[in-house]
């Protein structure tokens, strides 16, 4: 009958790809698919991209994706179904101050640290190292601080280092090897 011509549109239900992502220094994308598609039906989804909506992002923050078209007139898409929140989470990194030492009264070495878990080619900013002050021969703690908000793509765990001031300038362990003269034993 005539009813077949005006076939009712099927309300599309969308499934989204993994939407809880972690910063990796590259663009990451979420995509949708029609969960209740009938066998043989094909779709070409279109995503909105503006200041409010995007399905691609790089930096760690919350995003909202929006499908604007399904590319199939037999399906309808509600506003509620079309919008999808997703997130790129900050990547966990560890800052470990390097263990350093100097001799008592000696020149203070530059405090340095190593970073574990950072995306290759990137560096952290706003990291300040400080050691407990003092010039006595003993161990002092080295701590790291991070300027708030300096590394939005990372969650920084700060470990502690040890700064040791040594008591004297001569080498710690000197071992004397006693040389024995060659003895020749004649087997008569």
């Amino acid at each position: 009958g005539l009813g077949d011509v005006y076939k009712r549109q099927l309300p599309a239900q969308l499934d989204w790809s993994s939407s809880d992502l972690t910063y990796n220094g590259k663009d990451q994308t979420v995509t949708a698919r029609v969960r209740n598609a009938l066998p043989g039906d094909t779709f070409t989804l279109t995503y909105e991209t503006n200041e409010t909506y995007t399905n691609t992002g790089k930096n760690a923050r919350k995003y909202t994706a929006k499908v604007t078209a399904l590319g199939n007139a037999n399906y309808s898409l509600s506003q509620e179904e079309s919008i999808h929140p997703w997130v790129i989470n900050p990547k966990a990194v560890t800052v470990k101050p390097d263990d350093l030492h100097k001799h008592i009264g000696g020149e203070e070495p530059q405090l340095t640290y190593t970073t574990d878990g950072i995306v290759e080619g990137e560096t952290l900013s706003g990291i300040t190292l400080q050691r407990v002050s003092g010039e006595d021969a003993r161990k002092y703690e080295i701590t790291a601080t991070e300027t708030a908000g300096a590394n939005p793509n990372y969650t920084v765990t700060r470990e502690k280092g040890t700064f040791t001031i040594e008591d004297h300038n001569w080498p710690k362990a000197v071992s004397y090897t006693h040389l024995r003269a060659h003895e020749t034993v004649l087997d008569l």
Side-chain angles (χ1 to χ4, degrees), residues 30-50:
V30 296
T31 55
R33 66 175 191 85
V34 178
R35 178 171 66 233
N36 59 332
L38 297 173
D41 282 359
T42 60
F43 302 86
T44 306
L45 272 56
T46 307
Y47 300 87
E48 193 160 313
T49 305
N50 53 33

Side-chain angles (χ1 to χ4, degrees), residues 6-104:
Y6 301 105
K7 198 169 71 176
R8 199 170 159 211
Q9 282 186 316
L10 188 61
Q13 296 168 341
L14 299 182
D15 273 343
W16 289 82
S17 60
S18 174
S19 300
D20 190 7
L21 307 169
T22 299
Y23 177 75
N24 65 5
K26 300 179 176 73
D27 282 340
Q28 299 187 74
T29 301
V30 296
T31 55
R33 66 175 191 85
V34 178
R35 178 171 66 233
N36 59 332
L38 297 173
D41 282 359
T42 60
F43 302 86
T44 306
L45 272 56
T46 307
Y47 300 87
E48 193 160 313
T49 305
N50 53 33
E51 283 180 17
T52 309
Y53 301 109
T54 182
N55 71 320
T56 299
K58 176 181 170 184
N59 291 319
R61 66 176 186 86
K62 290 182 165 71
Y63 295 91
T64 307
K66 184 180 183 182
V67 173
T68 55
L70 298 171
N72 187 322
N74 295 326
Y75 293 78
S76 63
L77 185 61
S78 69
Q79 175 82 355
E80 187 185 350
E81 192 67 34
S82 72
I83 292 173
H84 177 73
W86 62 287
V87 65
I88 296 178
N89 296 292
K91 186 175 187 340
V93 296
T94 303
V95 165
K96 169 78 174 81
D98 297 321
D99 292 335
L100 295 168
H101 58 87
K102 74 169 190 173
H103 292 294
I104 204 160

Side-chain angles (χ1 to χ4, degrees), residues 96-106 108-109 111-112 129-144 159-167:
K96 169 78 174 81
D98 297 321
D99 292 335
L100 295 168
H101 58 87
K102 74 169 190 173
H103 292 294
I104 204 160
E108 190 81 5
L111 299 180
T112 54
L129 300 179
Q130 192 173 2
R131 79 165 176 92
V132 175
S133 60
E135 291 301 322
D136 296 332
R138 64 177 187 86
K139 292 185 185 307
Y140 298 86
E141 193 174 74
I142 306 169
T143 53
E159 293 184 350
K160 294 181 185 341
T162 304
F163 188 93
T164 307
I165 297 183
E166 286 159 4
D167 198 330

